[in-house]
Amino acid sequence: MTTPLPPRAGRRCHNALNPLHSTLYFSPDLDRELGALGLADPAAVRLAARSAPLGAVGAGTVAATFYNYRWELLARHLPTVWETAAPAAVLDARLRAVDATLRRLLGEEAVASPEMAEAAGLALRAAEACTRHARPLYSANADLPVPEEPHLAYWHAATLLREHRGDGHLTALLSVGLDPVEALASHTATGKGMAPRWVLGTRGWGRADWEAARERLRERGYLDADGELTEAGVRLRGELEETTDRLDAAPYEHLGAAGVERLTELGRGFLAAAGAAGAFPADLVGKG
């Protein structure tokens, strides 16, 4: 008889794996590898790295799949970025950057450890139950081959699980009527999202866009006069995560309670090591 998953077990596992995927976007190794292809603008580098599995797409496709980026920022770089570096070349460079990043952050011993191979196997097993329909970023990454080296396979599997959950989260955001900036501002108000300066610096929105979104959230009763979440706002964010959990349950149910617990344990260990090695800016998360 299958042991039921504890409440939010899948979310906790996601929270252990997803940030390790995200180390790539703060890595000098990514800048170096894509810089060698002729991409110098940091925004172009990161947009190309994440969207390359979709092919040589334009701003419209990326606006739809990324959800919270300003279209004007995307249009500045897409699709012209693919004239400089084709998606296949970006994908090869991306994997080289992942390799260098994980070796630098985790160390050679961790990269070659039995625990890394175990984590890769568990994460890939969970990803077997991901579904393609209405999951464009997941599905595009699922078309890519699984790397042979365990640390790269682990990153690949973490990417599949991240994008699968993310695709479902967009459905949840649409269901409650949060537009891109409102989604960002309400997440930041939880204290668990990116700080405003990082949001504005990477997503292309201006301060006026941010304040206008916060005002709309106040009018709907989700933020108070000080910009803190109201009880209704807390419920809204909770409903969003619960809906996302439901839409993302299959991989973790497939892996089973013991597997999810072990993958979460391993993922937290790798993430702690990466954080201690300076994987993320100190001011990345926060309300201010």
Side-chain angles (χ1 to χ4, degrees):
M1 185 173 180
T2 303
T3 303
L5 290 180
R8 301 182 180 85
R11 190 192 309 178
R12 288 191 291 273
C13 192
H14 163 81
N15 289 341
L17 272 62
N18 173 44
L20 195 75
H21 161 92
S22 299
T23 59
L24 177 68
Y25 304 119
F26 301 93
S27 173
D29 304 302
L30 181 63
D31 294 320
R32 184 187 67 252
E33 289 291 348
L34 268 65
L37 299 181
L39 301 181
D41 188 293
V45 166
R46 278 141 192 84
L47 291 173
R50 190 175 178 212
S51 65
L54 295 165
V57 295
T61 299
V62 175
T65 53
F66 286 20
Y67 196 86
N68 56 28
Y69 281 69
R70 186 183 180 100
W71 182 86
E72 288 80 2
L73 170 67
L74 302 176
R76 194 180 308 152
H77 300 290
L78 299 166
T80 55
V81 70
W82 310 121
E83 297 171 7
T84 301
V90 170
L91 288 171
D92 288 342
R94 182 175 86 163
L95 202 58
R96 291 193 298 271
V98 171
D99 181 46
T101 299
L102 294 185
R103 291 181 187 278
R104 175 171 52 81
L105 294 176
L106 303 181
E108 296 293 338
E109 184 175 345
V111 162
S113 68
E115 290 78 11
M116 180 62 75
E118 181 185 5
L122 289 168
L124 287 169
R125 191 186 313 159
E128 291 172 355
C130 292
T131 54
R132 290 181 178 271
H133 46 280
R135 311 268 187 175
L137 273 173
Y138 159 75
S139 192
N141 279 279
D143 283 345
L144 302 178
V146 178
E148 291 186 8
E149 293 187 74
H151 66 296
L152 299 181
Y154 176 64
W155 185 88
H156 173 75
T159 301
L160 297 180
L161 294 168
R162 163 206 167 93
E163 301 296 14
H164 187 267
R165 184 178 180 88
D167 287 336
H169 189 61
L170 303 195
T171 299
L173 289 170
L174 287 172
S175 73
V176 298
L178 288 181
D179 70 25
V181 193
E182 292 166 356
L184 291 165
S186 61
H187 189 209
T188 293
T190 68
K192 299 177 182 178
M194 287 198 299
R197 84 173 192 88
W198 281 97
V199 173
L200 301 180
T202 59
R203 268 50 176 176
W205 304 104
R207 177 58 65 174
D209 301 306
W210 184 258
E211 293 305 329
R214 281 159 54 96
E215 184 56 32
R216 293 193 298 274
L217 291 170
R218 289 189 189 97
E219 291 172 355
R220 296 172 66 182
Y222 297 139
L223 291 184
D224 64 21
D226 297 322
E228 298 293 330
L229 287 174
T230 62
E231 290 185 11
V234 172
R235 285 197 302 273
L236 176 75
R237 291 302 314 187
E239 289 170 10
L240 280 169
E241 294 304 328
E242 293 293 340
T243 299
T244 305
D245 288 346
R246 178 173 56 80
L247 296 173
D248 191 42
Y252 305 101
E253 291 174 348
H254 177 69
L255 184 57
V260 169
E261 181 180 7
R262 178 58 173 161
L263 180 56
T264 303
E265 177 187 14
L266 292 167
R268 285 173 173 168
F270 295 135
L271 180 58
F280 305 102
D283 62 347
L284 179 62
V285 173
K287 299 180 182 181

